Amino acid sequence: MLLTVSNVAKAFGVDQILTGVTFKVGAGEKVALVGRNGTGKTTLLRIITQQYGPDKGSVNLARGAKVGYLRQEAPVTLGRTVLEEAQTAMEAQLAMRRRLDELETSLAGSASFQPAEPATESMAADLEEYALLHEHFLEAEGYSAERDIRVVLLRMGFSEGDFDKATDKLSGGEKTRLAIARLLLEEPDLLILDEPTNHLDLQATEWLEGWLRQYHGAVLLVSHDRAFLENTAERVLEMRDGIVKSYPGPFAKFLKLKEEEDARQAEVAKQQDREIAKMDEYVRRFMNSQRTAQARGRQKLMNRLIETKVDAPKKDRGMAAGFGKIARSGDVVMEAEKLSVGFAFQAKSDSGILPEGRQDAADTLRQDAGATVLFKDLNWTVRFGDRWGVIGENGSGKSTLIKVVLGLLDPLSGKSRVGSNVTIGYFSQDTQELDPDQSPLDYLVYDCDMLPAEARNLLGRFLFSGDDVYRQIKTLSGGEKNKLSLARLTNLNPNLLILDEPTNHLDMDSREALAKVMQDYKGTLVLISHDRWLLTQVTNHTLDVRRAGPVVFNGSYLDFRQWQARCSQSPTPSQARVEADKPGKSEPTFTPRELSKEIDRLENVVQGIERQVSADELALKELEGELANLPTTADVFALTQEHQRLQESLEGALSGWEEQSTKLEQLRAKQG
């Protein structure tokens, strides 16, 4: 076993967090650790990674096993660039590469060095070190190290221009994505990820899913993202009441087994309660009668049954949110016409939307030759009763779009408007509307004009109880702040509900409760989210915000993804026309004769590249065989230089083959 946790207990003061946690993780297993917020998942992870010591029990790792841990706080080292932080994961390979470069320079700079002549003692030592080091370098796949670093960073949403950006200047989401990239490059034996999808867009999340499925090591994953767990977890550990129980995966099977187990446990508890009630009645009736002996016997049986009684599954208290009757707005709720959004806008003076320093940046951009455009020429109409899901990669302009349409920011060009009789309820992902120095109760009473009794009742429905209503908002967790913002919206009772990443920091049960609220909501919904399960549950229209041009799709998120898959696999002529009609996207058009000629040309190009790939692969295989069995008179320096040249040639050929093959398939599809 790679990881063995035995009877671990942990308390903080009078609060007993873990009472007896026991489980194992085998090599290569993909295991999900689930449970409501506050059940002790992060505490358990910190015990496994030796940040905390257990009060009782033990944690054992296989000898020599390497652990990688993604923390929710302080995930990267400050004072480095993005590239430098990622390079720390492959420092051994990069150090070997630097030493090889030094040896190559030394050998190449020796004027007296000729492969056919006897080498000096110093040169012989350099050659011997070079040969041995190069062998280790090949075993560590050192030639691909720098390429892998760049590929993973790009997949995690960083651009080439971000590589020199200081980690001190990264946002919280960027730091999380950089930490994930570094961990993926380290390739530990046990990878522990605590809420890895909180700051990832859909593209990065899906790439991470695929990478984890193919990962050779074990993964212990804490997440409230149901779709992510369904696509990665092979086994599920549920944390509840201070203990952990293991269920076989996948995640859907876990949910079914847990439901069946809870039903059986509830039925057993009900039967035992009935049996205890019967015995108790018999004892009370006959204790001081002619049947006293039998009554005492029944009393002993009853006491033993009470001691071993099965408790019914506890129903964890969940949010009891909901909206009242919705007033009817006009048919057109929001509308955008040829709308272009970017960073050269002027913020409204009273909006308070731009963070400190952003206004100066906007003024600077306005003085430059051109603005930074996020997307342009969006035509979008939201009608009463529509349920829109807004998706797109991080930084594509989803939140900015909403602020422009609501009039909080100015567009670069085009126009937008909000319809008549529209009451807007807007949930911003940074919860800027909350005063950090107020308490939840004061916020609802003074800012939302509620009576204290009504405010307390509303807070209770969102799981604020006791003295929690008097805590300063700045001391609340991210999930608690989100619940407070949602409580404000239910009191407002809007007929247009705009939610920007409402599930961040919410546990799975709270997400299910939120989905139920949105399903019951009778007004117009605009949901910006990376939660695929939630989008599938509550939306029937999709807006994909892309830099290449937004895509408006009149269907649910699930329908949109199925349409995308069909288009990418074998696009029909009509689908190709849809793609060509997207704003900001233009493709050359061919006559049938020109199309046939272009296909013939690309076929020749692809065949030529395939021949080059085959030749490079054969030459590389022969050279690696030669390097593995070097004779004493071999010119190691020249051979390794040739090996590097062939590697680069092969990588370039494969990249070219992929690009040209994609173009060829697209043209063949157009030809039919």
Side-chain angles (χ1 to χ4, degrees), residues 534-577:
L534 184 64
L535 288 165
T536 302
Q537 294 293 312
V538 304
T539 64
N540 56 22
H541 294 73
T542 304
L543 172 62
D544 187 0
V545 180
R546 306 178 181 178
R547 293 182 186 274
V551 178
V552 177
F553 184 82
N554 291 321
S556 68
Y557 173 74
L558 184 59
D559 293 336
F560 175 68
R561 293 310 304 267
Q562 291 172 346
W563 173 79
Q564 276 188 316
R566 290 195 301 270
C567 290
S568 63
Q569 290 172 1
S570 54
T572 63
S574 62
Q575 290 168 340
R577 285 196 296 272

Side-chain angles (χ1 to χ4, degrees), residues 89 120 166 238 244 297 302 310 343-344 351 358 409 439 449 453 465 479 483 507 530 565 568 580 613 622 654 666:
T120 66
E238 185 194 26
V244 162
M302 182 181 69
V310 173
F343 291 129
S351 69
R358 177 66 66 84
L409 298 173
S439 69
D449 297 325
S465 59
K483 290 174 184 177
D507 59 32
H530 295 140
S568 63
V613 169
E622 292 175 350
L654 287 172
Q666 291 172 346

Side-chain angles (χ1 to χ4, degrees), residues 386-460:
D386 284 353
R387 313 177 74 79
W388 282 90
V390 181
I391 63 175
E393 61 186 9
N394 287 336
S396 60
K398 303 183 296 298
S399 300
T400 306
L401 165 64
I402 295 302
K403 291 172 182 177
V404 168
V405 174
L406 294 181
L408 301 175
L409 298 173
D410 289 334
L412 294 179
S413 63
K415 58 184 180 180
S416 62
R417 69 181 182 94
V418 175
S420 60
N421 299 322
V422 175
T423 304
I424 301 170
Y426 176 39
F427 175 98
S428 62
Q429 62 175 303
D430 51 13
T431 58
Q432 268 194 342
E433 68 276 9
L434 302 179
D435 183 346
D437 294 322
Q438 282 186 314
S439 69
L441 185 61
D442 287 342
Y443 173 69
L444 292 183
V445 170
Y446 296 111
D447 288 31
C448 302
D449 297 325
M450 295 184 69
L451 295 175
E454 293 175 338
R456 288 213 62 152
N457 288 337
L458 179 60
L459 288 170

Side-chain angles (χ1 to χ4, degrees), residues 73-114:
E73 71 289 340
V76 299
T77 303
L78 303 182
R80 295 173 175 164
T81 67
V82 168
L83 185 59
E84 288 170 347
E85 178 71 8
Q87 286 174 337
T88 60
M90 308 191 83
E91 183 57 38
Q93 293 95 318
L94 296 175
M96 283 191 285
R97 180 59 183 265
R98 288 192 294 269
R99 180 55 182 160
L100 287 173
D101 289 342
E102 290 173 3
L103 290 170
E104 288 175 4
T105 302
S106 174
L107 292 169
S110 299
S112 61
F113 173 63
Q114 295 294 333

Side-chain angles (χ1 to χ4, degrees), residues 15 23 75 146 154 299 573:
D15 296 325
F23 66 91
E146 293 186 8
L154 291 172
Q299 188 177 42

Side-chain angles (χ1 to χ4, degrees), residues 410-660:
D410 289 334
L412 294 179
S413 63
K415 58 184 180 180
S416 62
R417 69 181 182 94
V418 175
S420 60
N421 299 322
V422 175
T423 304
I424 301 170
Y426 176 39
F427 175 98
S428 62
Q429 62 175 303
D430 51 13
T431 58
Q432 268 194 342
E433 68 276 9
L434 302 179
D435 183 346
D437 294 322
Q438 282 186 314
S439 69
L441 185 61
D442 287 342
Y443 173 69
L444 292 183
V445 170
Y446 296 111
D447 288 31
C448 302
D449 297 325
M450 295 184 69
L451 295 175
E454 293 175 338
R456 288 213 62 152
N457 288 337
L458 179 60
L459 288 170
R461 298 210 308 269
F462 282 85
L463 308 184
F464 289 91
S465 59
D467 292 338
D468 288 344
V469 302
Y470 301 114
R471 290 168 53 194
Q472 285 187 309
I473 290 173
K474 62 185 176 185
T475 68
L476 301 180
S477 67
E480 289 170 328
K481 290 177 182 177
N482 281 7
K483 290 174 184 177
L484 179 57
S485 292
L486 292 170
R488 175 185 67 87
L489 292 181
T490 60
N491 176 65
L492 180 62
N493 206 33
N495 53 24
L496 170 60
L497 186 59
I498 302 175
L499 305 178
D500 191 353
E501 297 292 355
T503 58
N504 279 352
H505 312 293
L506 293 184
D507 59 32
M508 204 171 295
D509 290 341
S510 296
R511 294 183 187 208
E512 289 181 3
L514 179 61
K516 182 66 168 61
V517 169
M518 287 191 280
Q519 287 167 348
D520 295 339
Y521 178 65
K522 303 303 181 185
T524 306
L525 174 68
V526 176
L527 171 65
I528 304 174
S529 182
H530 295 140
D531 190 321
R532 291 160 292 175
W533 178 82
L534 184 64
L535 288 165
T536 302
Q537 294 293 312
V538 304
T539 64
N540 56 22
H541 294 73
T542 304
L543 172 62
D544 187 0
V545 180
R546 306 178 181 178
R547 293 182 186 274
V551 178
V552 177
F553 184 82
N554 291 321
S556 68
Y557 173 74
L558 184 59
D559 293 336
F560 175 68
R561 293 310 304 267
Q562 291 172 346
W563 173 79
Q564 276 188 316
R566 290 195 301 270
C567 290
S568 63
Q569 290 172 1
S570 54
T572 63
S574 62
Q575 290 168 340
R577 285 196 296 272
V578 170
E579 289 290 313
D581 289 339
K582 291 176 187 174
K585 186 171 184 176
S586 61
E587 297 178 355
T589 56
F590 298 101
T591 65
R593 182 179 178 83
E594 290 172 337
L595 184 59
S596 179
K597 286 184 176 181
E598 182 64 13
I599 288 174
D600 289 341
R601 186 189 71 80
L602 281 178
E603 284 176 343
N604 291 331
V605 170
V606 170
Q607 289 171 5
I609 296 175
E610 288 173 348
R611 287 193 293 270
Q612 181 186 345
V613 169
S614 298
D616 285 347
E617 288 178 336
L618 180 60
L620 199 57
K621 183 177 180 181
E622 292 175 350
L623 184 56
E624 287 176 348
E626 188 175 349
L627 285 168
N629 300 280
L630 282 173
T632 56
T633 59
D635 185 353
V636 180
F637 178 67
L639 289 173
T640 53
Q641 291 287 86
E642 176 64 11
H643 185 278
Q644 183 175 354
R645 186 194 67 77
L646 286 172
Q647 281 269 19
E648 293 172 353
S649 174
L650 179 59
E651 290 173 8
L654 287 172
S655 177
W657 178 86
E658 183 178 359
E659 180 181 354
Q660 299 302 323

